[in-house]
Amino acid sequence: MKLSKKFLNDYLDVNDIDIHTLALDMTSVGNEFASCEKLINVTNLVIGKVLECSLHPDSDHLHVCKVDVKEEILDIVCGAPNVRSGIKVIVAKNGAHLPGGEIKKSVIRGVESNGMLCSIAELGLDHKFLKEEDINGICELGDDAIVGEDPIKYLNLDDEVIDFELTSNRGDLLSIIGMAYEIGAIYNRKITLPERKYPTVKENIPFNLKIETKKCNLFLARHALNVKIMESPDFMKKRLMASGIRPINNVVDISNYVMLETGQPLHFYDSDNLGDTLIVRDAKKDEKLVTLDNIERELNPDDIVIADRKNAVGLAGVMGGLSTEVEDSTKNILIEAAIFDSVSVRLTSKKILRSEASNRFEKGLDPKRTYLAMEYASYLLNKYADATIVDNINIFDQSDKADKVIKITIEDINSLLGLDISKKEIIDIYERLGFTVKEQKNELIVTVPTRRLDISIKEDLIEEVARIYGIDKIEGRLPILPIKKGSYNKVKRMLRDKISSLGFNETLSYTLIPNDLSHQYTNDEFTEINLLDPMSDDHATLRYSLLPSMMLTYDYNVKRNNKNLCLFEIGKSFGKINGEYLEKEKIAFLMSGAYTEGLNKEKITFYHLKGIMEEVLDSLGFSNRYSLKVLDIPKEFHPGSSANIILNGKNIGIIGKVHPNVTKDDVYLMEMDLEYLEELKVSKISYQEISKYPSISKDVAFIVDNSITNEEVMLEIKKSAGKLLSNIELFDVYKLDDKKSLAYNLTFTDKDNTLKIEDIMPIFEKIMQDVKDKFKCEVRDK
Amino acid sequence: MEKEQEKRNIEIEKELINDLKEVKKPNDLVQVKAKYLGKEGIISLLTKNMRDLKPEERASYGKLVTEIRNKALELLDDKEKKLKEELLNKKLKEETIDITLPSKKIRHGSIHPFNMIVEEIEDLFVSMGYDIIDGPELETDEYCFQRLNIPYGHPVRDTQDSFYVDKDYLLRTQTSSVQAHTMEQNIDKGPIRMICPGKTYRRDDDATHSHQFGQFEGLVIDKGITLADLKGTLLVMARKLLGEKTNVRFRPSFFPFTEPSVEVDVTCFKCNGKGCSLCKNTGWIELLGAGMVHPNVLRDNGYDPNKYTGFAFGTGIDRLAMMKYSIPDIRLMYTNDYRFLNEFMRKDVK
């Protein structure tokens, strides 16, 4: 909302208040601004008179002028086609700063020039406000312009404008009157509404007003006859421009001017084209309407239309129809001032066009203001368009015009704000805001005028006190609350620290991924969740696995030559399973390139990532409760270098190498169900006694078929050895054609005795025999 | 005889010193030692000669032999020490390395700046007894809007243009949805103190907006909570995050779920409030939105607004991270360039 200081001044005397002070004071009561500046921000301008004007000796379009600016006569070279001697003009003297740059003494094709004669456009007014002659030629001032004086003031452009960014609850501030009330409350000044009396005639015009929708609770319609379409008065044009609206003709300008004053949008119909009936109804399915901008719109029953007997002639609150548009030839008009359902207007305008009018309907309107707007429009049409105003107003009114009455105590106010404001101060604040206050025992009965649509409950009234009193005057303190330990997700925190210390960079990627990636890196059965209306194909589907995102991150980095990547991410994953939305936190890892830095870098293998998995699971206390099994490997993984992660008998994730069909690089991925890791219980840390007796250690190696796994052999050794075997470690593996040698170091410990080699040998022999029998393999000689 | 032996001692000592000069390795010392002190060694033979002496000569002769024996032992010992030291020095010299060669270590890792901020906020509020609550990102319209005093058709829904997956479910546009869940789960369990950081989603994409971004929200509900309590709490938070000298300023504002509502500014951390380009010469930076929980929100989620009051506050996590670490473009937060991530390898402990 652009607020013109001159416009405001018609209702509230703010002449003595600096515009920047005003803007900051408004901010402190909750009304922020985007900009605050003069309408024309140019210095060193003066009214001049062209005394002589001759053709430039070296040009066919330039003129050399002698211009009287009172203090001196300036030689100025001018290129405008309309320059001639005798006219009064706007002179930018040397040193003037125009939007196009600074004016300096210069020599133009050999002739010295000391200034510039300006067009209106060169002063910085938006071209949309201007006529062609304002842009192409210099501005010719009237005979009453006084040489040597300020042309901006002469042109009535000496205005200042604050562009406010208002909160959505303050629809009342989308009007000069509303602004005047608000600013009046800040400075404790009374506003004055102008007296606007105008003559009316009694004329019996047949007219039917029918309201056939629930989405309109107030509709006023009045005929104005024999209007003369012409240019608006100067003050009106300048105020519209300062408010950011383009002047068009007196009739259109009056509807905008009244909207700016009162906040009530109006619409004028050519009543000869409209006919004798006006119906407000919901649009029919597939109904069509050509709007003012000459575009055919397809409507649906959510839209409200204004219609004649047969067809829609306007989209209520959004845009008029072409068929009843006020044109230069229009003689008789119908003034509409109405209130339409704000939600409906918002939805329709979102589809079609957001305008000054729709914005005001969306925020809600004060029915009393609707009547006022009708009065103002009638007065202005009579005065500036010679209209004959018909006495009768057609009225449909089901609006609530009762002021709101709210009871509140001083204690209510101070206890919510944490302040100690006196009753006197509080009553004073309400009265400044234009509310009336009655005291009843310890209660205040506050009557709030209908213009303040945002106030309906006690808390709203408390906010009003805080705003005007100065909400920043509140001194901060900490709330007194029961002593309690705060809780947080320790697992996630520990993992983030641990994994990053193991050399991994944490990533943060988008939840929304392309639909075609949604089933990659998983064989789980689920339906992917798609957005109804995605912004782009890249962000269309909620990811079920973090791994497609991990690979996107990988590709992004490889393209930028970032190698040796170890990445991890914790994030939610989504899918629809058995008709239910499932949301689950997962943790994903990616490794590629070298794991170590320095010379002889260690290239990442499956076993590095397996080590990370063990670190993660062991640190959570899951040692000995997990294993890797090849159960169900998604096609994006290498079938011979991947496995499912089994924890506590449950398949909780996948680890493996990316399939060579996907990438030729060696990339390893892992993903686990983090929620299960968080839920699965472990026993408390509890000291286990360390044996006081020495242990004995012995090595053994088996030559087994390649198909036999280390895990199988170890399990057999453990089974065979019994309780005395305290540790087993594979220390060497090498390939022998289709066989391999597995060498183990076995440690035996007895908690209660010192073991002797004779105690161990029978067990050791048994182990060798059992493994030989089980796997049909040989024991390697030392 | 005595004189002769004294002369002999001097000769033996000279010979030994000469012999030792030739010795380069500890092993060669064994031969020299044998030559003088071995069974048939020069000095051992002197001892044997004692038997042939007259008893009165033996004492003085014996003393001389002992002298030369001790002298020989001393020389041999010194030589051995010297040789060992030379050997050790040689070994140490050989073992000298180029300490400027690169180190051997695992590559470095980092926590994402988004989560660095989240953890910092969590730590502060946990220490004040707040619970950190996680809520669903795929949320219902009811919890995301309706229970927060944002009915269908409310204009705020426009500024929070959302991603729906069906007519009821959407990706949450604000972490405020967790407020509704928390209140509902705590009815009749007394006061609430919670912080809920997390991901949020809106239809927006440019240098300062991402369709995915982070928010965190704080909520305190109890009997007698005031706006002054909110200001004090935010002051603690601002000072923790942005430095001891930070101040906060309240400006009235509007949010559907709070009444009164405030916009909260903090002292510009770049110019310390003097005015600069970052704060547009105001000395203040808008940090978050806050207010007293709207009575409709309390009522709709099971708290009697006549008994309880509360405050809520919330802001963008990305924005905080971008402010704190001078990150110019929000998209850097989500593209995960390895070079970007590595900039956060350092722990922010100083």
Side-chain angles (χ1 to χ4, degrees):
Chain A
M1 166 80 185
K2 285 188 168 155
L3 177 67
S4 142
K5 191 177 174 186
K6 284 194 151 195
F7 209 165
L8 174 67
N9 213 53
D10 293 347
Y11 302 87
L12 184 77
D13 184 1
V14 288
N15 269 324
D16 58 327
I17 301 168
D18 171 70
I19 192 86
H20 294 280
T21 310
L22 180 57
L24 290 174
D25 288 343
M26 279 290 269
T27 305
S28 71
V29 299
N31 305 307
E32 286 185 62
F33 65 97
S35 65
C36 169
E37 56 200 4
K38 287 182 175 166
L39 180 60
I40 303 289
N41 203 4
V42 182
T43 53
N44 251 351
L45 294 183
V46 67
I47 296 173
K49 184 173 182 179
V50 182
L51 300 176
E52 286 172 30
C53 177
S54 53
L55 263 175
H56 190 290
D58 194 20
S59 162
D60 58 358
H61 71 281
L62 293 176
H63 286 82
V64 184
C65 308
K66 285 205 180 297
V67 184
D68 176 11
V69 294
K70 194 177 175 191
E71 287 151 7
E72 55 189 322
I73 310 263
L74 298 172
D75 291 318
I76 294 174
V77 176
C78 177
N82 60 330
V83 67
R84 60 193 186 277
S85 68
I87 60 170
K88 289 186 180 167
V89 291
I90 304 170
V91 182
K93 295 201 284 188
N94 287 340
H97 283 274
L98 270 65
E102 196 189 335
I103 302 298
K104 288 179 195 151
K105 177 177 171 177
S106 58
V107 175
I108 299 168
R109 298 200 194 171
V111 178
E112 194 178 287
S113 181
N114 285 299
M116 184 172 94
L117 306 186
C118 304
S119 70
I120 292 281
E122 280 160 336
L123 302 180
L125 267 186
D126 195 324
H127 281 205
K128 79 174 179 189
F129 298 140
L130 303 176
K131 288 181 268 182
E132 214 169 297
E133 65 256 34
D134 294 331
I135 299 165
N136 296 336
I138 55 167
C139 177
E140 297 179 31
L141 303 176
D143 277 347
D144 56 344
I146 299 167
V147 170
E149 304 236 309
D150 179 3
I152 299 300
K153 200 163 182 179
Y154 172 80
L155 287 169
N156 215 359
L157 289 169
D158 56 333
D159 203 352
E160 292 164 306
V161 179
I162 308 174
D163 191 359
F164 283 103
E165 289 177 331
L166 299 168
T167 53
S168 63
N169 60 328
R170 294 302 303 271
D172 63 306
L173 295 182
L174 295 170
S175 66
I176 300 291
I177 295 176
M179 284 285 184
Y181 277 116
E182 180 84 349
I183 294 163
I186 296 176
Y187 299 113
N188 200 7
R189 292 181 186 186
K190 286 268 171 296
I191 89 159
T192 43
L193 294 177
E195 282 261 328
R196 285 181 172 173
K197 290 199 170 141
Y198 55 92
T200 56
V201 296
K202 282 203 185 323
E203 184 107 22
N204 195 7
I205 299 172
F207 186 72
N208 292 311
L209 175 65
K210 290 186 196 161
I211 310 299
E212 294 175 354
T213 173
K214 289 197 177 104
K215 294 175 183 167
C216 170
N217 63 21
L218 176 59
F219 199 104
L220 309 180
R222 183 184 229 179
H223 286 91
L225 310 175
N226 298 314
V227 295
K228 287 206 180 67
I229 308 277
M230 52 189 156
E231 211 171 296
S232 294
D234 188 63
F235 82 91
M236 192 177 282
K237 284 195 288 186
K238 299 292 158 59
R239 273 167 208 191
L240 288 176
M241 283 186 206
S243 307
I245 291 178
R246 182 166 67 106
I248 294 168
N249 60 43
N250 56 348
V251 173
V252 175
D253 292 355
I254 285 167
S255 75
N256 283 327
Y257 190 82
V258 174
M259 176 181 74
L260 289 173
E261 282 186 300
T262 64
Q264 169 69 53
L266 299 176
H267 189 71
F268 296 163
Y269 300 87
D270 183 322
S271 63
D272 297 321
N273 288 338
L274 177 70
D276 64 356
T277 300
L278 190 147
I279 304 166
V280 184
R281 58 166 167 81
D282 297 334
K284 293 169 193 156
K285 196 170 182 296
D286 300 327
E287 186 168 4
K288 290 187 173 66
L289 169 70
V290 179
T291 45
L292 282 175
D293 49 7
N294 207 4
I295 295 173
E296 188 181 75
R297 312 281 184 174
E298 219 165 278
L299 311 177
N300 67 49
D302 289 338
D303 305 318
I304 315 166
V305 294
I306 315 297
D308 59 15
R309 283 177 189 281
K310 289 182 199 152
N311 302 313
V313 297
L315 256 176
V318 178
M319 209 191 305
L322 194 62
S323 64
T324 55
E325 186 188 11
V326 175
E327 293 170 300
D328 288 351
S329 59
T330 297
K331 277 181 69 182
N332 302 316
I333 62 175
L334 181 79
I335 310 166
E336 165 202 296
I339 299 182
F340 304 108
D341 177 62
S342 57
V343 174
S344 171
V345 171
R346 197 168 64 84
L347 295 176
T348 303
S349 72
K350 232 175 119 179
K351 257 186 332 201
I352 306 232
L353 173 85
R354 305 219 100 154
S355 63
E356 293 275 350
S358 69
N359 185 29
R360 286 169 171 82
F361 281 112
E362 286 171 28
K363 304 275 157 54
L365 295 168
D366 170 11
K368 287 182 185 159
R369 213 52 86 64
T370 313
Y371 285 90
L372 185 70
M374 179 57 90
E375 291 302 309
Y376 279 15
S378 303
Y379 166 85
L380 293 170
L381 284 169
N382 175 257
K383 185 161 182 184
Y384 297 108
D386 294 344
T388 305
I389 305 299
V390 175
D391 187 44
N392 179 48
I393 303 176
N394 299 278
I395 299 176
F396 169 86
D397 189 351
Q398 291 186 346
S399 66
D400 178 8
K401 288 182 287 299
D403 289 338
K404 249 164 264 154
V405 178
I406 303 167
K407 288 180 186 172
I408 196 165
T409 66
I410 307 303
E411 167 63 16
D412 287 337
I413 297 167
N414 283 324
S415 71
L416 193 70
L417 298 177
L419 279 172
D420 191 18
I421 315 177
S422 71
K423 190 200 273 181
K424 187 172 168 290
E425 276 178 286
I426 288 168
I427 293 174
D428 178 56
I429 287 169
Y430 287 142
E431 286 176 349
R432 281 160 68 173
L433 286 160
F435 306 168
T436 52
V437 185
K438 261 195 277 176
E439 283 183 64
Q440 197 176 70
K441 290 178 190 165
N442 29 359
E443 273 186 331
L444 301 181
I445 300 170
V446 184
T447 306
V448 181
T450 46
R451 63 184 162 82
R452 289 301 301 273
L453 292 159
D454 59 313
I455 296 178
S456 56
I457 56 170
K458 210 159 63 177
E459 284 72 12
D460 296 324
L461 275 187
I462 298 173
E463 183 172 66
E464 291 303 296
V465 173
R467 281 195 322 123
I468 305 298
Y469 175 81
I471 207 162
D472 196 45
K473 286 186 196 155
I474 294 170
E475 290 282 341
R477 63 171 182 234
L478 284 180
I480 298 165
L481 290 159
I483 292 163
K484 175 175 138 314
K485 196 173 126 239
S487 62
Y488 64 101
N489 186 323
K490 291 183 190 167
V491 169
K492 235 196 284 190
R493 192 63 85 84
M494 183 281 279
L495 288 180
R496 206 177 272 138
D497 279 346
K498 176 166 194 76
I499 297 163
S500 63
S501 302
L502 286 168
F504 285 72
N505 293 109
E506 187 184 23
T507 62
L508 179 63
S509 56
Y510 293 125
T511 299
L512 294 168
I513 59 169
N515 179 274
D516 55 348
L517 305 185
S518 59
H519 283 265
Q520 286 188 356
Y521 299 96
T522 178
N523 282 345
D524 290 0
E525 277 185 28
F526 67 95
T527 311
E528 80 273 17
I529 305 172
N530 294 309
L531 297 184
L532 292 179
D533 185 17
M535 282 172 80
S536 71
D537 290 344
D538 285 345
H539 307 297
T541 300
L542 279 68
R543 62 185 176 190
Y544 176 82
S545 162
L546 308 184
L547 296 178
S549 311
M550 271 284 168
M551 287 306 287
L552 290 175
T553 302
Y554 175 76
D555 291 342
Y556 179 92
N557 277 290
V558 166
K559 278 191 193 122
R560 281 154 189 81
N561 213 17
N562 299 332
K563 291 171 187 161
N564 304 329
L565 299 166
C566 291
L567 308 173
F568 80 104
E569 179 161 345
I570 294 172
K572 296 273 181 77
S573 66
F574 305 84
K576 202 170 189 176
I577 294 173
N578 299 326
E580 297 266 325
Y581 289 128
L582 183 97
E583 179 170 340
K584 203 173 236 201
E585 200 145 47
K586 291 183 176 170
I587 182 165
F589 300 77
L590 179 146
M591 293 184 94
S592 179
Y595 189 53
T596 56
E597 295 186 334
L599 302 170
N600 308 316
K601 289 186 176 61
E602 211 177 285
K603 197 173 173 312
I604 286 164
T605 64
F606 175 87
Y607 302 106
H608 284 91
L609 190 52
K610 185 182 172 188
I612 300 296
M613 176 196 82
E614 290 171 356
E615 280 293 307
V616 166
L617 296 177
D618 290 350
S619 66
L620 288 169
F622 300 139
S623 311
N624 301 323
R625 291 172 76 181
Y626 60 85
S627 61
L628 293 181
K629 284 207 169 63
V630 181
L631 299 174
D632 185 17
I633 305 299
K635 62 182 187 308
E636 291 81 10
F637 282 97
H638 189 303
S641 299
S642 303
N644 299 92
I645 304 168
I646 311 297
L647 173 62
N648 211 35
K650 186 177 149 62
N651 184 351
I652 61 144
I654 185 133
I655 176 173
K657 186 175 179 176
V658 178
H659 198 287
N661 285 344
V662 178
T663 171
K664 58 180 192 339
D665 308 336
D666 289 349
V667 182
Y668 297 89
L669 291 174
M670 172 162 74
E671 185 171 52
M672 287 189 265
D673 175 347
L674 182 57
E675 270 179 34
Y676 188 69
L677 300 186
E678 284 168 9
E679 281 160 20
L680 186 60
K681 298 248 182 319
V682 292
S683 54
K684 287 243 170 340
I685 296 174
S686 166
Y687 168 71
Q688 303 291 309
E689 200 190 346
I690 300 163
S691 173
K692 291 194 273 287
Y693 303 96
S695 9
I696 291 180
S697 154
K698 268 195 83 63
D699 294 347
V700 62
F702 301 101
I703 293 167
V704 297
D705 275 357
N706 259 331
S707 61
I708 311 273
T709 68
N710 163 51
E711 190 177 67
E712 289 172 291
V713 178
M714 289 228 290
L715 272 175
E716 186 59 29
I717 293 173
K718 281 183 195 166
K719 208 172 87 186
S720 172
K723 279 200 300 194
L724 292 181
L725 180 70
S726 59
N727 192 39
I728 172 166
E729 195 187 325
L730 176 78
F731 68 89
D732 189 36
V733 182
Y734 66 88
K735 272 200 164 186
L736 295 158
D737 300 325
D738 57 343
K739 293 189 188 293
K740 62 185 169 190
S741 158
L742 299 169
Y744 297 94
N745 175 267
L746 310 182
T747 307
F748 298 90
T749 316
D750 188 341
K751 272 204 292 192
D752 306 316
N753 287 301
T754 301
L755 281 177
K756 296 192 196 83
I757 192 75
E758 304 91 83
D759 302 328
I760 294 309
M761 278 324 284
I763 303 171
F764 194 67
E765 296 290 342
K766 178 172 176 284
I767 292 170
M768 289 195 290
Q769 195 55 50
D770 285 350
V771 172
K772 273 203 292 195
D773 292 350
K774 170 106 186 189
F775 301 111
K776 313 268 177 287
C777 67
E778 293 167 45
V779 174
R780 213 172 96 220
D781 291 329
K782 281 266 159 109
Chain B
M1 187 67 206
E2 206 182 299
K3 282 249 170 85
E4 202 181 310
Q5 188 52 41
E6 274 173 18
K7 215 175 126 193
R8 181 74 184 123
N9 270 9
I10 291 165
E11 279 170 18
I12 292 172
E13 192 180 331
K14 267 190 186 162
E15 196 182 337
L16 176 56
I17 288 169
N18 273 333
D19 283 350
L20 285 175
K21 270 185 192 159
E22 300 302 314
V23 175
K24 302 287 180 220
K25 293 182 293 194
N27 283 348
D28 299 345
L29 209 58
V30 179
Q31 288 166 1
V32 178
K33 200 170 180 178
K35 176 175 170 190
Y36 293 89
L37 297 169
K39 233 175 182 178
E40 300 295 313
I42 296 168
I43 293 169
S44 306
L45 288 177
L46 288 177
T47 314
K48 282 184 186 167
N49 290 344
M50 279 248 281
R51 275 173 280 174
D52 309 333
L53 291 181
K54 296 169 192 159
E56 64 271 26
E57 286 172 333
R58 276 187 195 171
S60 56
Y61 179 80
K63 199 178 157 217
L64 283 170
V65 172
T66 307
E67 262 176 36
I68 187 66
R69 170 181 292 275
N70 287 345
K71 187 72 195 173
L73 279 169
E74 189 190 319
L75 286 169
L76 281 162
D77 223 33
D78 284 354
K79 183 69 186 181
E80 191 179 359
K81 274 187 192 150
K82 213 174 143 197
L83 281 173
K84 277 191 175 160
E85 199 179 299
E86 275 170 14
L87 205 68
L88 182 64
N89 284 339
K90 193 175 163 225
K91 186 167 184 263
L92 290 177
K93 199 169 177 196
E94 280 167 6
E95 284 175 1
T96 301
I97 58 163
D98 178 356
I99 53 157
T100 67
L101 290 183
S103 63
K104 186 120 180 152
K105 61 177 178 186
I106 58 169
R107 47 180 308 290
H108 42 236
S110 61
I111 292 177
H112 195 283
F114 182 97
N115 285 323
M116 286 167 71
I117 293 284
V118 169
E119 291 189 354
E120 201 173 338
I121 294 164
E122 286 183 356
D123 286 345
L124 169 68
F125 283 101
V126 166
S127 77
M128 297 200 286
Y130 286 61
D131 295 320
I132 309 301
I133 309 280
D134 187 28
E137 290 174 27
L138 186 58
E139 186 54 275
T140 57
D141 189 279
E142 181 191 345
Y143 282 89
C144 195
F145 294 128
Q146 296 166 48
R147 279 171 174 259
L148 296 165
N149 204 26
I150 310 174
Y152 284 109
H154 195 289
V156 160
R157 290 190 180 222
D158 275 4
T159 57
Q160 299 192 5
D161 219 345
S162 15
F163 293 116
Y164 280 85
V165 301
D166 65 25
K167 72 176 187 7
D168 294 323
Y169 278 84
L170 71 156
L171 284 170
R172 66 178 175 196
T173 55
Q174 47 186 8
T175 44
S176 313
S177 53
V178 186
Q179 280 191 27
H181 285 291
T182 310
M183 279 191 246
E184 192 186 39
Q185 285 157 14
N186 272 275
I187 297 172
D188 299 328
K189 286 185 197 159
I192 291 178
R193 240 175 301 177
M194 72 94 165
I195 295 285
C196 54
K199 292 172 188 163
T200 44
Y201 307 85
R202 291 182 198 176
R203 305 172 65 86
D204 232 343
D205 255 328
D206 61 42
T208 51
H209 297 92
S210 160
H211 75 269
Q212 176 180 323
F213 59 102
Q215 274 194 344
F216 78 91
E217 189 120 338
L219 175 72
V220 171
I221 293 178
D222 198 3
K223 291 170 183 157
I225 297 293
T226 70
L227 202 56
D229 295 329
L230 169 66
K231 194 167 184 185
T233 303
L234 294 179
L235 191 61
V236 172
M237 186 186 93
R239 290 192 175 162
K240 164 85 168 85
L241 287 175
L242 304 167
E244 266 315 303
K245 287 179 185 153
T246 310
N247 268 317
V248 303
R249 179 176 80 168
F250 274 7
R251 278 183 291 117
S253 189
F254 170 72
F255 306 108
F257 29 85
T258 48
E259 187 70 40
S261 301
V262 289
E263 205 66 73
V264 184
D265 299 334
V266 292
T267 318
C268 177
F269 48 86
K270 199 175 162 192
C271 63
N272 292 320
K274 288 184 204 89
C276 67
S277 60
L278 184 69
C279 60
K280 293 177 193 143
N281 283 316
T282 61
W284 296 97
I285 289 203
E286 201 173 299
L287 185 73
L288 41 75
M292 302 304 291
V293 180
H294 196 288
N296 291 355
V297 176
L298 287 170
R299 194 179 300 113
D300 291 351
N301 295 292
Y303 277 77
D304 180 356
N306 294 317
K307 285 188 196 154
Y308 287 94
T309 55
F311 64 70
F313 56 91
T315 190
I317 296 169
D318 309 80
R319 214 174 89 81
L320 273 177
M322 289 165 74
M323 265 163 54
K324 184 153 183 178
Y325 304 119
S326 310
I327 300 167
D329 187 329
I330 193 169
R331 285 168 289 210
L332 283 165
M333 300 281 282
Y334 294 92
T335 42
N336 300 305
D337 192 304
Y338 171 71
R339 295 162 295 184
F340 171 81
L341 299 175
N342 276 340
E343 290 190 26
F344 301 93
M345 178 190 82
R346 210 181 91 189
K347 299 288 174 202
D348 198 5
V349 290
K350 291 205 166 176

